[in-house]
Amino acid sequence: MKEVLPQFNSTFSIDCVIFGFDGGDLKILLIERNNEPFKDWWALPGNLVGENESLDQSASRILNELTGLTDIYMEQYYTFGDVNRHPQGRVVSIAYYALLRLGGDKAVRPISSYAKQAHWVNINELPKLAFDHQQIYDKGLEKIKRRIKHQPIAFELLPEKFTLTQLQNVYELILGKKLDKRNFRKKMLSFGVLKDLDEKQKGVSFRAATLYRFDKRKYAKLFGKEISF
Amino acid sequence: MKEVLPQFNSTFSIDCVIFGFDGGDLKILLIERNNEPFKDWWALPGNLVGENESLDQSASRILNELTGLTDIYMEQYYTFGDVNRHPQGRVVSIAYYALLRLGGDKAVRPISSYAKQAHWVNINELPKLAFDHQQIYDKGLEKIKRRIKHQPIAFELLPEKFTLTQLQNVYELILGKKLDKRNFRKKMLSFGVLKDLDEKQKGVSFRAATLYRFDKRKYAKLFGKEISF
DNA sequence: ACATTTACTGTGTTTTTTACACTAACTCCG
DNA sequence: CGGAGTTAGTGTAAAAAACACAGTAAATGT
């Protein structure tokens, strides 16, 4: 029924920089490719976009296929379309990043067909990546660095209940630098979006810290005002 | 030689939000479509990406075909890929914005084949747009609003020599709100990236203002430091 | 009880942001 | 040439935000 649009041999794919935080390290999910080109290389998870899925849906599907998770925070951030970025033809790739919490029962055991294996890799120990994936990763990290300063995305990496020290760790890992503890806590609490749970950490050696929860309601009320985390 | 990648009937295009400033109003370039679908509707300039051009090249080409201009500041900002955004098939569209100065000898008389006509339209008087172009425009403006606060893109809209009042006008038009004159001037000058030309406006009624030039060298030296215009 | 580790707290200084109104310079016109 | 009209240009005080900085409190393990 539809008229055919002019076209040539081309296609598009999604690539995902999937960040996970396990309470200690910040990691991304990499796959070891099972096919040419770049067989046996490490690469960002990605796939072609299906005929009847939107870009956002496709990104969610890719993440779900690897991790089994749904409803994960994902954001499209850039599209890579150099003519020769894929050796087998023109592939334009739309990049997404995702943020999720690792560990516990959600431990995430990745399975997939086009990959020999998938691994969570510390972002400070990344191997050489296939295609232009290093560039895609770099740009993703850069975007997240900016975004974390203005939007409450750090909470996506943390369990529902978390301590201020954990929150600070997330910021320090993403920004790649140390922050002053007192100033950090003062500022975070001043936004009024953290709810003190009157509850302490359990199962830790040494002094237990107070647990907090991110209060989405209060955050929603702040909209319009510029808020800088 | 190349293996063929799996694919279906799909293609991708570039759409451009081309901002122009004529000293008074902020405008974008719109075309009146000559073909179905949305024949006779106003739309953002756009075209399919050629087989051997990168996305950036394609965006530059589209702008050049309409205006004859080259070396214009352009930035990719988002990719739109809903399944039904184009009635004739799957078209993923990569959006760019561009900033340029209008008027004088550069007056820009747009010509093109797929458009009946092209016009510069005040951003406060936009007509109904074809496809999802309103959404594409909205997101573009939003991105520029953010960017103008951190990067020296306002200068792209101004002639080489400009007055502080003109610069402030650009900010006010993009941000959509009035700014305090004294605070604005103080802040702009404090960055040290404006060179006072010891030269006055000519041909104006009433008192002539001092002309400035943006000093790219000094700006380059600031890199790394967060600078907020 | 002591050693160890992490949680938690406050103040003073500096910098940035905001609010605010008048004089100076130039042009046009009569 | 003088006065009316219009835009250019300037400073200060108050408030808010950012920054630098170190010791005590609480819990654990031995």
Side-chain angles (χ1 to χ4, degrees):
Chain A
M1 239 22 67
K2 291 174 177 177
E3 296 179 42
V4 174
L5 288 161
Q7 68 169 125
F8 53 88
N9 176 29
S10 67
T11 190
F12 44 92
S13 66
I14 305 283
D15 285 309
C16 300
V17 182
I18 302 167
F19 287 92
F21 181 65
D22 62 7
D25 296 315
L26 188 61
K27 299 177 175 176
I28 65 170
L29 189 54
L30 293 180
I31 58 148
E32 192 181 353
R33 287 176 59 84
N34 206 13
N35 304 320
E36 295 292 348
F38 290 101
K39 188 165 174 355
D40 305 330
W41 283 58
W42 290 93
L44 297 174
N47 215 327
L48 299 180
V49 178
E51 190 161 1
N52 289 308
E53 45 179 22
S54 71
L55 305 179
D56 289 356
Q57 283 165 356
S58 182
S60 298
R61 173 178 57 80
I62 288 165
L63 191 145
N64 177 263
E65 284 172 1
L66 275 172
T67 66
L69 298 173
T70 54
D71 296 319
I72 296 297
Y73 174 81
M74 299 190 83
E75 199 83 43
Q76 185 205 303
Y77 68 89
Y78 201 74
T79 296
F80 296 83
D82 279 356
V83 176
N84 295 313
R85 59 175 296 280
H86 195 300
Q88 288 178 345
R90 185 70 188 274
V91 182
V92 170
S93 187
I94 299 122
Y96 280 74
Y97 56 75
L99 302 179
L100 55 90
R101 26 188 162 277
L102 294 177
D105 49 337
K106 288 194 177 169
V108 177
R109 191 115 313 261
I111 305 165
S112 83
S113 54
Y114 64 99
K116 271 195 281 195
Q117 53 171 328
H119 263 290
W120 289 100
V121 183
N122 189 310
I123 61 164
N124 297 315
E125 298 164 5
L126 294 184
K128 224 171 189 182
L129 298 179
F131 305 104
D132 53 356
H133 286 189
Q134 181 67 43
Q135 190 192 345
I136 294 177
Y137 167 77
D138 289 342
K139 189 132 193 162
L141 182 62
E142 183 195 309
K143 294 277 183 177
I144 286 180
K145 278 188 188 181
R146 281 188 183 274
R147 176 147 307 206
I148 201 177
K149 292 185 183 170
H150 303 290
Q151 305 242 238
I153 62 172
F155 306 104
E156 306 287 347
L157 290 161
L158 290 166
E160 198 186 1
K161 301 174 179 184
F162 54 85
T163 69
L164 288 177
T165 300
Q166 288 169 341
L167 183 59
Q168 185 173 348
N169 282 344
V170 166
Y171 272 82
E172 290 180 345
L173 286 165
I174 290 179
L175 296 176
K177 64 180 182 190
K178 288 279 169 199
L179 302 172
D180 179 85
K181 192 201 277 195
R182 279 174 293 190
N183 292 335
F184 180 83
R185 296 163 93 93
K186 200 189 322 170
K187 187 163 183 181
M188 278 295 154
L189 293 172
S190 76
F191 295 131
V193 298
L194 294 183
K195 182 169 184 175
D196 185 330
L197 294 174
D198 281 324
E199 197 183 336
K200 298 279 178 183
Q201 268 181 316
K202 281 179 184 168
V204 290
S205 305
F206 317 116
R207 180 177 179 181
T210 302
L211 291 169
Y212 291 83
R213 170 182 296 161
F214 174 59
D215 188 333
K216 284 179 189 168
R217 277 198 189 172
K218 286 185 186 159
Y219 177 73
K221 285 189 192 165
L222 292 176
F223 245 112
K225 298 173 194 172
E226 274 269 331
I227 180 170
S228 285
F229 291 93
Chain B
M1 238 20 70
K2 290 175 178 177
E3 295 179 43
V4 174
L5 288 161
Q7 68 169 126
F8 53 89
N9 176 29
S10 66
T11 190
F12 42 92
S13 66
I14 304 285
D15 284 311
C16 300
V17 181
I18 303 167
F19 287 91
F21 181 65
D22 62 8
D25 296 315
L26 188 60
K27 299 178 176 176
I28 64 170
L29 190 55
L30 293 180
I31 58 147
E32 192 182 353
R33 288 177 58 84
N34 206 12
N35 304 320
E36 293 294 347
F38 291 100
K39 188 165 175 358
D40 304 330
W41 284 59
W42 291 94
L44 296 174
N47 216 324
L48 300 180
V49 177
E51 188 160 5
N52 289 308
E53 41 178 26
S54 71
L55 305 179
D56 288 355
Q57 283 165 356
S58 183
S60 299
R61 174 178 56 80
I62 288 165
L63 191 144
N64 177 261
E65 283 172 1
L66 275 174
T67 66
L69 298 173
T70 55
D71 296 319
I72 295 298
Y73 174 79
M74 299 190 84
E75 201 84 41
Q76 185 205 303
Y77 68 89
Y78 202 73
T79 296
F80 296 82
D82 280 355
V83 176
N84 294 315
R85 59 176 296 280
H86 194 301
Q88 290 180 343
R90 186 71 188 273
V91 182
V92 169
S93 186
I94 299 121
Y96 280 73
Y97 56 75
L99 302 179
L100 55 88
R101 28 188 161 277
L102 293 177
D105 49 338
K106 288 193 176 171
V108 175
R109 192 115 311 260
I111 306 165
S112 84
S113 54
Y114 63 99
K116 271 196 279 192
Q117 53 169 329
H119 262 290
W120 289 100
V121 183
N122 190 309
I123 61 166
N124 296 315
E125 300 163 5
L126 294 185
K128 227 173 186 184
L129 298 178
F131 304 104
D132 53 355
H133 286 189
Q134 182 66 43
Q135 190 192 346
I136 295 177
Y137 167 76
D138 289 343
K139 189 134 194 161
L141 183 61
E142 181 196 310
K143 294 277 183 177
I144 286 180
K145 277 188 188 182
R146 282 189 182 275
R147 176 146 309 206
I148 201 177
K149 292 184 183 170
H150 304 290
Q151 304 243 239
I153 61 173
F155 307 105
E156 305 289 346
L157 290 161
L158 291 166
E160 197 186 3
K161 300 174 179 182
F162 53 86
T163 69
L164 288 177
T165 300
Q166 288 169 342
L167 184 59
Q168 185 174 345
N169 283 344
V170 167
Y171 272 82
E172 291 180 345
L173 286 166
I174 289 179
L175 297 176
K177 65 180 182 190
K178 288 280 169 199
L179 302 173
D180 179 85
K181 191 202 278 194
R182 277 175 296 190
N183 292 336
F184 180 83
R185 296 161 94 94
K186 201 190 320 172
K187 188 163 184 180
M188 277 295 154
L189 292 172
S190 77
F191 294 131
V193 299
L194 294 184
K195 182 169 183 175
D196 184 331
L197 293 175
D198 282 323
E199 197 181 336
K200 299 279 179 184
Q201 266 182 317
K202 281 180 184 166
V204 289
S205 303
F206 317 117
R207 182 177 178 183
T210 301
L211 291 168
Y212 290 83
R213 170 182 296 161
F214 175 59
D215 188 332
K216 284 179 188 165
R217 278 199 187 172
K218 284 185 188 159
Y219 177 73
K221 284 187 191 164
L222 292 175
F223 244 112
K225 297 172 195 170
E226 274 270 331
I227 180 170
S228 285
F229 290 93

